[in-house]
Amino acid sequence: MTELPAVPPSVAAANKRNILLVFAGLMVTMLLASLDQTIFSTALPTIVGELNGVNHMLWVTTAYILASTIMLPVYGKLGDLVGRKGLFIGAIALFIVGSVVGGLAQDMTWLIIGRAVQGLGGGGLMILSQAIIADVVPARERGKYMGIMGGVFALSSVAGPLLGGWFTEGIGWRWAFWMNIPLGILAIASAMFFLRLPEVAKRKPRLDAAGIGLLAIASTCLVLVTTWGGTTYDWNSATITALMAGTVVAGTAFVLVERRAAEPIMPLHLFKDRNFNLTTGAGLIIGIAMFGALAYLPTYLQMVTGANATEAGFLMIPLMAGLLVTSIISGQLVSKTGRYKWLPLVGTLIVAVALGLLSTMTPALATWVLCSYLAVMGVGLGMSMQILILIVQNSFPISQVGTATASNNYFRQIGASLGSAIVGSLFVAKLTTLLAERMPAPGAGAAGASNSFTPAIVRDLPSAARNVIIGSYNDALTPVFLYMVPLVLVAVVLLCFVREVPLATTIERDILPESLEIDGMTNNRLESPVQSGVLEEELAGGRGR
C-alpha cells in the first residue's frame, strides 16, 4: 500500500478545529430533529382529547415518520450527487414550515399535515448529519462522534417528553411546534457559518423520479395496511386488500426501475454486501421494537400510573440515562479497539430482555421497578443503534456513504413506521374492545366518549370507571411488548453473521485506491475530505483542492 506522508502538527490541529466546528452545528440539528420525534409523546393524550381525535392519535406520530422515511433515500442520493450543505439548509427550512402549520392547526387534519411537512424536512436532518460525519471523520475515529450523536438522541428522548409535558400543563402544547422556529434558525446559522465541506465534482444530477415515486407509493401503502388493518377496516376488506396489492406491485416495479436507472435512488448493488443486508434487517427489527414501545409508553404512564405529563417525562429518564451512557461508551470502545461486532449483538439481546420485562407491567407495579425496566431498554438501544450505522458506512467508499446510510436508515424507519402503526393498531383495537366490555353501566356514556379521554378527565372519574380505564390501558398495551420479543431475537441471530472488518485509521481519497482488500473482503478507507484537502494544500504549497 502507498506510504502516506506524515501530517504536520499544525495541519492536524487545524483539521481538528474544523471537525469540531462542523460537529457543533450538526448537534444543534440532531437535537432539533430528535426532539420532534419525542416531544409529542406526553402531550399527545391532551392534544387528541382537545381536538376530539383519539381514533386518529397514531397518525400524529406515523405521519412524521412516514414522510421522513420516504425522503431518506432522496436526501442520501442527492447529497452524494450535488453536495450536502445546500440540501441540509433546505431541509431545516422545510422543517420550520411544517412547525408553523402544526402550531396553527385547529383540527386533527391540519395537525397531521403539519407533522407530515415536518417529516419531509426531518428526514434530511438526520441522514445528512450522519453522512456529513462520514465526510469529515475517518472510520476508526467516527465511533466517538456517532456515540455522542446517539447521546443527543438519548437526551431528546427524555427532554422531548419533559418539554411536551411542561408545555401542555403551562403555556400550551402548541409551543412544541413554536420552539422549532428559533432552534431551526440557529441550526441554519450554524450550517451557514461552520459547515465547510469539500466541493462535489460538478455534474448534472439525473434524479430517479420514477424510483422515488414508486418507493413513496410502496412505503405509504405498507404503513396504511398496518395502520388501518383490523381497526378502520377489516383485514379482508377491499381497501386493505388493495393496499397490500399496491405494496407488492409498487415494490416490484421499484426493483425493476432501479435495475435500469442511471442514478438509482437505492442502488441494488448495496444488497450484494453481506454486512449491509444483516445490519439493515436488524435495524428494521430494532426500529419496530423501539418506536413501537416508545410511542405509547408515555401515554401508558399517564393513564395507568396517574402521572401528569411532566411526571411521565421524568419517568422516562432511566431509559435516556441508559441509552446516553452506553452510546457514548460504545463509541469510545470502537474508536479505541476497532472492534464493534459484539456491541450491537449484546445490545439487541438486552432489548429483547427489556421487552419481556415490560410485558409484565401491572397497574400495581412499583414505579422504581418500571423505571428499571426502562433503563434496561436504554442500555440495549445505546449499544446497538449507532454502531449499526457505522458498520454500514465502513462497507462502502465515501462516494456512496450518503446513499448507503440513507438506504439503511430507510429500512430502520420503515421499522419505526411499522412499529408505531402495528402497536398503535393493536393497542387501540384492544383498548376499544376492553372498554366496551368492562365499563360499568353508569359510565357507558364515558366509554362511548373515549375519543375525548385525557389523563385529567380519567383522574376525575369515579373510582369504578377509572379503575376500568386503567386496567384496560394496561391489558391492551403490555401483551404487545411480549409479541415483539421473538422478532428481536431474530435480529440477534442476524447479527451473529456480521463479518467484522477493520476500521480505517488513515484517510486519503486521492492517494489510496477506491477500496482496499482486507482479509478477502472489500473495505473502504472512508477518508476525511477535510483532512484530505488540508493535507493536499500543505503538500502542494497552498494549491488547495
Side-chain angles (χ1 to χ4, degrees):
M1 185 175 69
T2 304
E3 186 72 22
L4 290 176
V7 179
S10 61
V11 175
N15 180 51
K16 185 175 181 179
R17 286 194 301 271
N18 288 342
I19 292 175
L20 291 177
L21 287 174
V22 169
F23 193 63
L26 296 181
M27 289 303 95
V28 175
T29 309
M30 286 288 289
L31 183 63
L32 180 68
S34 56
L35 270 178
D36 218 69
Q37 291 186 354
T38 59
I39 196 168
F40 290 97
S41 55
T42 45
L44 199 54
T46 299
I47 294 172
V48 297
E50 287 184 9
L51 299 181
N52 196 31
V54 170
N55 55 333
H56 298 300
M57 179 170 64
L58 60 88
W59 272 106
V60 178
T61 301
T62 304
Y64 180 90
I65 295 176
L66 178 58
S68 62
T69 299
I70 293 170
M71 292 302 295
L72 281 174
V74 178
Y75 283 115
K77 185 66 177 183
L78 285 179
D80 285 342
L81 291 176
V82 303
R84 309 191 211 281
K85 183 172 181 176
L87 282 175
F88 194 53
I89 293 173
I92 299 171
L94 187 57
F95 186 86
I96 293 175
V97 171
S99 298
V100 173
V101 174
L104 296 174
Q106 297 300 315
D107 55 39
M108 286 296 291
T109 299
W110 280 103
L111 180 70
I112 292 169
I113 289 173
R115 290 287 286 159
V117 175
Q118 280 187 311
L120 294 176
L125 305 189
M126 300 294 286
I127 195 63
L128 292 173
S129 295
Q130 293 171 351
I132 288 168
I133 284 296
D135 279 341
V136 301
V137 180
R140 181 64 176 266
E141 296 299 313
R142 201 175 303 147
K144 295 185 292 186
Y145 296 92
M146 286 292 193
I148 296 173
M149 280 186 164
V152 169
F153 184 85
L155 179 63
S156 69
S157 69
V158 170
L162 283 175
L163 284 172
W166 183 64
F167 289 148
T168 300
E169 297 176 349
I171 57 180
W173 56 263
R174 294 180 189 277
W175 278 92
F177 287 104
W178 300 136
M179 66 169 287
N180 292 330
I181 297 175
L183 272 178
I185 293 172
L186 178 60
I188 289 175
S190 298
M192 291 179 66
F193 291 107
F194 299 144
L195 186 55
R196 303 173 183 175
L197 297 177
E199 292 186 5
V200 176
K202 300 296 183 182
R203 55 173 173 155
K204 184 178 180 179
R206 303 174 66 179
L207 193 61
D208 181 18
I212 294 171
L214 289 169
L215 189 64
I217 293 171
S219 303
T220 302
C221 289
L222 180 60
V223 173
L224 288 178
V225 167
T226 56
T227 301
W228 288 345
T231 54
T232 306
Y233 301 98
D234 292 334
W235 284 106
N236 60 353
S237 68
T239 300
I240 298 300
T241 302
L243 288 171
M244 289 180 177
T247 302
V248 174
V249 171
T252 303
F254 172 75
V255 173
L256 296 176
V257 166
E258 295 303 274
R259 293 178 63 183
R260 295 172 173 80
E263 293 286 357
I265 199 72
M266 190 181 293
L268 299 184
H269 72 78
L270 297 177
F271 299 94
K272 295 180 181 179
D273 184 90
R274 184 170 84 176
N275 280 1
F276 177 84
N277 291 332
L278 294 172
T279 55
T280 296
L284 186 150
I285 292 172
I286 291 173
I288 292 175
M290 178 180 178
F291 283 89
L294 296 187
Y296 294 95
L297 272 173
T299 298
Y300 175 92
L301 293 172
Q302 291 181 73
M303 290 296 196
V304 175
T305 70
N308 59 34
T310 304
E311 291 168 345
F314 277 113
L315 290 175
M316 297 292 288
I317 286 179
L319 188 147
M320 178 276 291
L323 203 161
L324 175 65
V325 172
T326 54
S327 180
I328 294 175
I329 292 177
S330 297
Q332 295 287 343
L333 286 174
V334 170
S335 292
K336 183 178 181 179
T337 66
R339 314 296 294 185
Y340 52 80
K341 178 178 176 177
W342 69 274
L343 285 164
L345 184 61
V346 174
T348 305
L349 186 60
I350 293 174
V351 170
V353 172
L355 288 170
L357 293 173
L358 290 173
S359 71
T360 66
M361 293 188 300
T362 65
L365 187 69
T367 301
W368 71 268
V369 176
L370 189 154
C371 288
S372 68
Y373 294 169
L374 296 178
V376 174
M377 171 72 83
V379 168
L381 293 174
M383 293 178 68
S384 54
M385 284 175 48
Q386 297 300 113
I387 305 301
L388 292 179
I389 297 173
L390 180 63
I391 294 173
V392 170
Q393 292 184 344
N394 193 46
S395 301
F396 298 94
I398 197 70
S399 60
Q400 300 175 24
V401 160
T403 302
T405 305
S407 298
N408 178 266
N409 274 269
Y410 168 81
F411 287 101
R412 181 182 299 188
Q413 286 290 80
I414 282 291
S417 299
L418 291 175
S420 297
I422 292 171
V423 172
S425 298
L426 294 174
F427 172 50
V428 172
K430 185 67 173 177
L431 177 62
T432 302
T433 301
L434 292 176
L435 287 175
E437 293 175 351
R438 298 177 178 180
M439 186 65 72
S450 60
N451 261 4
S452 298
F453 276 148
T454 67
I457 290 175
V458 172
R459 285 194 292 269
D460 292 337
L461 288 174
S463 59
R466 184 173 64 251
N467 289 338
V468 166
I469 294 171
I470 290 173
S472 298
Y473 263 82
N474 182 85
D475 295 345
L477 185 60
T478 53
V480 182
F481 295 138
L482 188 61
Y483 300 158
M484 290 190 287
V485 172
L487 187 62
V488 175
L489 291 177
V490 171
V492 174
V493 174
L494 291 177
L495 292 173
C496 288
F497 295 96
V498 167
R499 188 167 183 178
E500 194 167 55
V501 180
L503 297 172
T505 57
T506 58
I507 41 180
E508 266 316 307
R509 83 165 78 202
D510 298 325
I511 296 177
L512 295 182
E514 182 70 7
S515 62
L516 299 176
E517 286 292 326
I518 299 180
D519 296 333
M521 292 187 65
T522 300
N523 177 38
N524 68 320
R525 61 285 142 297
L526 289 174
E527 74 287 354
S528 159
V530 173
Q531 268 192 332
S532 180
V534 174
L535 180 57
E536 183 178 337
E537 182 174 323
E538 185 79 13
L539 295 175
R543 171 172 56 87
R545 294 199 68 155

